[in-house]
Amino acid sequence: MNSVEIRRYADSDWPGTWDVWHEVVSAGESYDNAPDSTEDDAREHWLLPSPWEQWVAVEDGDVLGMYKVGPNRAKLGAHVANASFMVSSRARGRGLGRTLGEHCLDRARELGYTAMQFNAVVSTNTVAVRLWRSLGFIIVGTVPDGFQSTRHGLVDFHIMHRYL
């Protein structure tokens, strides 16, 4: 992933961000957004206001992946970060998820968070579960049949956590 630049999202990144977002969400396997979500839905979901930050992974001007990071809860729970990640099928298997995950963990530390929590990692997304476990996350809870996979039907999702 040496040729990939990870940088803060800019408005000019929206077309590529939308392409990745649409590809991932329309698959119906890892996000609970409606697979037929519109571009406006995507903007509302992904481009959250500060203190949230959005980051993109770009190669030769092409957005291949992205993440957003911000507080998992408000006020007295705001010391725990939350993040969401998406990687284009054009970059899968190249280690971009790990690179984005490590970058995000570093950024969360810089921002002063003390831990990170993922609220819904779909159990059938075994690549993500394996990645997050390898980066030190543990499963702190599982919601039975909490996700309606378009391919697998009702499946569990995990709540994952790690200290920073």
Side-chain angles (χ1 to χ4, degrees), residues 77-144:
H79 61 287
V80 177
N82 181 265
S84 297
F85 299 82
M86 293 188 183
V87 174
S88 168
S89 61
R90 299 182 317 277
R92 290 192 193 129
R94 294 176 48 195
L96 184 57
R98 175 172 297 281
T99 299
L100 286 169
E102 290 170 346
H103 189 277
C104 181
L105 290 169
D106 289 341
R107 184 63 186 148
R109 280 186 208 94
E110 291 170 6
L111 291 169
Y113 293 106
T114 61
M116 185 171 288
Q117 177 177 317
F118 300 144
N119 297 321
V121 181
V122 178
S123 63
T124 53
N125 188 353
T126 56
V127 171
V129 173
R130 192 168 42 253
L131 170 62
W132 301 132
R133 290 186 79 132
S134 77
L135 290 175
F137 285 82
I138 61 170
I139 295 171
V140 296
T142 299
V143 177

Side-chain angles (χ1 to χ4, degrees), residues 19-122:
D19 286 346
V20 174
W21 195 93
H22 184 259
E23 176 189 10
V24 170
V25 169
S26 66
E29 294 301 314
S30 56
Y31 279 81
D32 63 358
N33 304 81
D36 62 352
S37 292
T38 67
E39 191 169 348
D40 286 340
D41 296 334
R43 281 183 191 275
E44 184 178 326
H45 176 264
W46 198 257
L47 300 180
L48 299 176
S50 181
W52 283 85
E53 294 183 358
Q54 294 79 27
W55 291 76
V56 291
V58 179
E59 183 177 57
D60 299 324
D62 187 23
V63 175
L64 294 178
M66 63 239 199
Y67 75 85
K68 63 180 180 179
V69 61
N72 188 53
R73 308 296 299 170
K75 298 182 177 49
L76 299 180
H79 61 287
V80 177
N82 181 265
S84 297
F85 299 82
M86 293 188 183
V87 174
S88 168
S89 61
R90 299 182 317 277
R92 290 192 193 129
R94 294 176 48 195
L96 184 57
R98 175 172 297 281
T99 299
L100 286 169
E102 290 170 346
H103 189 277
C104 181
L105 290 169
D106 289 341
R107 184 63 186 148
R109 280 186 208 94
E110 291 170 6
L111 291 169
Y113 293 106
T114 61
M116 185 171 288
Q117 177 177 317
F118 300 144
N119 297 321
V121 181
V122 178

